[in-house]
Amino acid sequence: MANYVPLCRSNYFKVKDKEAFRAFLERFGGAVELIEDDKGRVGFLAQEGIPSTYMPDDSGNEAEEVDFIGELAAHLADHEVAIVMGTG
């Protein structure tokens, strides 16, 4: 059986704090790329699906599980919606 690994992309949306959102994405070591539009909204690309883990630091510890979508929701500005789609 083959593994399904989708290419994922979000729409553009406003966040409460763009630098905090950038730091959130950077926790995934390049697996999630920030994208921005000309209106100051952000979104992301994930080449290997939505991550379910991240490395908490460079010490070589085991990866920690994360609720990516739950944490993403906490960054959204009031009345904003993030739509995440995948294809593969």
Side-chain angles (χ1 to χ4, degrees):
M1 180 181 283
N3 291 333
Y4 174 66
V5 181
L7 168 65
C8 294
R9 185 193 192 288
S10 74
N11 63 321
Y12 292 106
F13 46 84
K14 293 179 183 176
V15 291
K16 296 173 189 172
D17 179 338
K18 194 179 289 188
E19 290 309 311
F21 183 70
R22 184 183 314 274
F24 163 65
L25 296 183
E26 288 174 355
R27 287 178 29 204
F28 300 97
V32 185
E33 176 186 345
L34 177 72
I35 56 176
E36 297 184 63
D37 71 2
D38 58 355
K39 296 179 183 178
R41 299 176 300 177
V42 297
F44 65 88
L45 299 170
Q47 298 290 330
E48 297 181 8
I50 299 300
S52 60
T53 61
Y54 77 101
M55 293 303 290
D57 55 34
D58 294 331
S59 66
N61 293 336
E62 291 188 29
E64 292 187 15
E65 289 192 27
V66 64
D67 176 7
F68 183 90
I69 299 298
E71 290 193 30
L72 167 66
H75 287 277
L76 295 175
D78 290 343
H79 309 294
E80 289 292 305
V81 175
I83 301 169
V84 182
M85 297 177 278
T87 185

